[in-house]
Amino acid sequence: MNSIKHQNIVIDIQDGIATITINRPTKLNALNKDTIKELHHAFMKGDKDKSVKVIIITGAGEKAFVAGADISEFADFSVSQGQELASQGQALLFDFVAHLSTPVIAAINGFALGGGLELAMAAHFRIASDNAKMGLPEVSLGVIPGYGGTQRLPQLIGKGRAMEMIMSASMIDAHQALEYGLVNHVTSLEELLPLAEKLAGKIKSNSSVAIAAAIEAINAGYEDGENGFEAEITAFGKCFGTADFQEGTQAFLQKRKPKFPGK
Ligand code: COA
């Protein structure tokens, strides 16, 4: 295993799966500025590395995925600093992750609050351990979610449920999150990473080029001014010019398993 430790994160790469662990357990992995920068670089590197087929994001320890943005860093911010905080964070991490070509799975291992839930929602899908608690408690601090939470939560669970969660600042448990469709699977804490790796294993046997095209087409339906159906037609057409498509179709016709070149 190739393990790289940074100040606030740890990156492990094994068999085409990069696991990024946010590592500030004494602060419940709260996202300070430095952690956001480190995550940006880690996601960028993972996405550029052709040998990395899936990225898993999780939190260190047994208590928290991420308990939110680091409140101590913005408590005295002005209006313009507040706007800058949200726009920089969205560009560096949250929108950045949502638009990566490499699939990102969030493995939620405890509290996912505020920016923590927003990070999990920016991932392409989520799984949770049964001790997980999720919420957007910002209005209890006199602010609103600023890392995409007011948009992604209603997209994932519906407007009424998102309104209730955001207005009440209350947390839901893993089973409620499963019922809402916020997470795809719930398992024990011990089984969380093995499950993420199992799901990643299924994904990485498929064409990475086609997966990137699928992410792009799915995202297009949620972008302002974009027509998802049109984006799908374009992305579908592009696949026909790829070596992966040649290999996938030939392998099917020759009754063998494909060996995708990833281009
Ligand atoms: N920002 C900065 N520090 C945070 C934090 C955050 N979002 N969340 C937790 N921490 C820190 C605490 O200040 C504490 O640090 P300390 O030991 O130096 O005092 C440490 O992490 C442990 O947290 P603590 O509150 O003692 O744990 P708890 O088990 O009593 O409570 C929570 C857990 C998650 C309920 C509580 O930490 C909490 O409400 N966190 C803030 C959640 C939030 O509002 N997030 C949205 C931010 S926009």
Side-chain angles (χ1 to χ4, degrees), residues 26-28 30 63 67-71 74 111 113-114 137-138 141:
T26 57
K27 295 290 174 193
L28 302 186
K63 198 167 166 185
D70 193 318
I71 299 167
F74 62 74
F111 288 115
L113 302 175
E138 285 86 347
L141 299 166

Side-chain angles (χ1 to χ4, degrees), residues 24-32 63-64 66-74 111-116 118 135-141 143-147 171:
R24 296 181 77 211
T26 57
K27 295 290 174 193
L28 302 186
N29 303 321
L31 294 177
N32 61 2
K63 198 167 166 185
V66 170
D70 193 318
I71 299 167
S72 66
E73 276 193 346
F74 62 74
F111 288 115
L113 302 175
E118 288 171 303
L136 293 178
E138 285 86 347
V139 299
S140 69
L141 299 166
V143 67
I144 67 166
Y147 288 148
M171 298 182 208

